[in-house]
Amino acid sequence: MYRLVVLFCVILFYGCGATKLKETNISNIESINPKVTENINKKENTKDTTLSSNTEEVFRIMSYLASDDLQGRDSGSEGIEKAAVFIENEFKENGIAPYFLTYRDTISNFKKSAYNIVGYLEGNDPELKKEFLIIGAHYDHIGQIPGTTDVIANGANDNASGTATVVEIARYFGNSKKNKRSILFVLFTAEEKGLLGSKHLAKRLKKEIFNLYTMLNFEMVGVPLIGKDYLMYVTGYESSNLAEVGNTYAKEKLIGFLPKAKEFNLFKRSDNFPFHQEFNVPSQTFCTFDFTNFNHYHKVGDEVELIDFNHMVNVINKSIPMIEAIANSTTKEIKY
């Protein structure tokens, strides 16, 4: 997340030393999560077309986005260009159209050429399709950290995990077409530079008189919470009834309250916040990073080997019915 407070950074710095990284190694991942790569070598050039997510599909996306070839996905870099092409191809293959003339929304507030990737799926109800959901995550990271043995900050949890989640949710809806409201699937650039991608897009859509119902953002969902009775927390928990409505739709306690998220004011530190500022509608971030379960924030140790793919699949497959219900409710039930 963008610029966590200094205290948190100091705690992490002294709590865990510099980490030497390895190249992504399938055998290492198998030893942690045996089901992740079953028959992966046989299927590496094939794509799962079933609607529910699975570990092989998430692994395929994550292992590319967090690979050394992408050089840490710094905004404006050759590495993030590769990530953009990958995401565009995922959208094309799954029936997600560009919202603008192309998928690329070039941002105006960053000195290098950088762009959000914006996919569009029209709703299937003649009236409700005039209202929009935005499902988002940032796909950039911090690039390289000179002076370390492995200089590439691969950004697996932050935020290839959120990106893969959005891509998989888009795959579901692009193939099922079970959305009465229209949906934008957005992967933001330059979050790490100060939420620049989301600030740009929020302002651009506001000028269009864009009818936004809610913005749901995914950030650092690659490892499970520890000792919680819910799957993920939402920033700005007390600001809206999103958790209550979402849990009702999910028919379980999917979303909870994390006091640390309030303490560190995470509501203002991810790409949901510019949409809150521009539209004043429920715009919040789902996360499973709880300040105790991952010691590699903005470090070279944020590698795909540390990701719990079974957990990610759980997040995706349990989020989809909730999002589908939000997209199809006859009234706007989520409110500030």
Side-chain angles (χ1 to χ4, degrees):
M1 294 182 180
Y2 163 62
R3 294 180 181 175
L4 290 180
V5 294
V6 174
L7 175 62
F8 172 53
C9 294
V10 171
I11 291 171
L12 283 184
F13 181 81
Y14 287 103
C16 41
T19 304
K20 182 177 179 181
L21 295 200
K22 304 181 292 295
E23 294 288 334
T24 299
N25 186 313
I26 290 175
S27 64
N28 287 345
I29 296 173
E30 286 180 326
S31 69
I32 299 170
N33 294 305
K35 295 182 180 180
V36 169
T37 55
E38 183 179 356
N39 298 322
I40 193 72
N41 292 325
K42 296 178 182 178
K43 298 176 62 178
E44 65 179 339
N45 293 319
T46 63
K47 192 168 189 302
D48 184 4
T49 56
T50 60
L51 296 190
S52 61
S53 188
N54 60 64
T55 52
E56 288 82 4
E57 191 70 3
V58 175
F59 172 81
R60 179 185 66 84
I61 298 169
M62 288 287 294
S63 62
Y64 182 76
L65 292 176
S67 66
D68 283 355
D69 286 346
L70 272 60
Q71 296 290 302
R73 305 188 311 278
D74 196 11
S75 295
S77 70
E78 292 182 6
I80 200 170
E81 165 66 19
K82 293 178 181 179
V85 171
F86 178 87
I87 295 163
E88 289 172 320
N89 287 335
E90 292 296 307
F91 282 176
K92 289 174 187 175
E93 290 178 19
N94 290 292
I96 305 299
Y99 181 69
F100 300 111
L101 291 178
T102 72
Y103 290 107
R104 301 189 178 197
D105 167 42
T106 302
I107 66 174
S108 58
N109 51 2
F110 187 59
K111 61 184 178 180
K112 295 182 180 180
S113 177
Y115 29 80
N116 304 313
I117 305 299
V118 186
Y120 167 58
L121 184 62
E122 184 178 29
N124 58 35
D125 183 274
E127 289 302 317
L128 289 177
K129 72 178 183 180
K130 299 171 185 176
E131 301 172 3
F132 280 81
L133 278 63
I134 293 177
I135 309 299
H138 73 91
Y139 75 113
D140 68 307
H141 195 49
I142 61 174
Q144 300 184 33
I145 305 175
T148 56
T149 302
D150 178 357
V151 300
I152 300 172
N154 299 74
N157 196 26
D158 184 16
N159 188 35
S161 65
T163 301
T165 297
V166 172
V167 168
E168 280 289 85
I169 293 171
R171 180 168 69 91
Y172 170 82
F173 282 101
N175 287 280
S176 72
K177 303 293 192 297
K178 292 182 178 180
N179 56 297
K180 293 181 180 180
R181 289 183 173 85
S182 297
I183 306 176
L184 291 191
F185 299 97
V186 184
L187 287 312
F188 298 102
T189 191
E191 189 267 1
E192 302 288 3
K193 310 298 183 185
L195 313 181
L196 298 184
S198 52
K199 286 178 180 178
H200 164 88
L201 183 60
K203 290 180 182 295
R204 181 175 185 180
L205 293 178
K206 183 67 173 179
K207 291 178 181 177
E208 292 186 2
I209 317 179
F210 185 80
N211 189 0
L212 179 61
Y213 171 21
T214 186
M215 191 280 182
L216 306 177
N217 193 53
F218 288 87
E219 175 94 44
M220 296 181 72
V221 292
V223 293
L225 294 164
I226 295 174
K228 308 297 190 296
D229 64 350
Y230 49 86
L231 181 63
M232 55 189 177
Y233 65 88
V234 67
T235 64
Y237 179 94
E238 297 168 304
S239 300
S240 81
N241 65 347
L242 173 59
E244 178 184 355
V245 173
N247 288 339
T248 299
Y249 288 155
K251 299 180 181 179
E252 63 178 295
K253 192 173 182 181
L254 182 65
I255 308 162
F257 171 65
L258 185 76
K260 282 286 185 182
K262 181 178 181 180
E263 178 183 343
F264 287 103
N265 202 10
L266 298 189
F267 177 68
K268 294 183 178 181
R269 300 181 183 276
S270 195
D271 288 310
N272 60 287
F273 189 61
F275 293 91
H276 159 76
Q277 289 181 304
E278 294 293 334
F279 291 92
N280 195 32
V281 299
S283 305
Q284 295 166 264
T285 292
F286 297 109
C287 185
T288 66
F289 167 66
D290 69 1
F291 297 84
T292 68
N293 61 349
F294 194 76
N295 295 326
H296 304 279
Y297 170 74
H298 281 193
K299 294 181 180 181
V300 295
D302 188 0
E303 292 267 15
V304 74
E305 283 92 344
L306 301 181
I307 299 302
D308 186 327
F309 292 95
N310 293 314
H311 162 72
M312 280 193 62
V313 167
N314 208 23
V315 168
I316 294 164
N317 286 338
K318 290 195 172 188
S319 293
I320 285 171
M322 174 189 68
I323 293 170
E324 189 172 299
I326 293 170
N328 295 336
S329 63
T330 56
T331 60
K332 294 181 178 180
E333 296 184 13
I334 302 169
K335 299 175 181 178
Y336 276 148

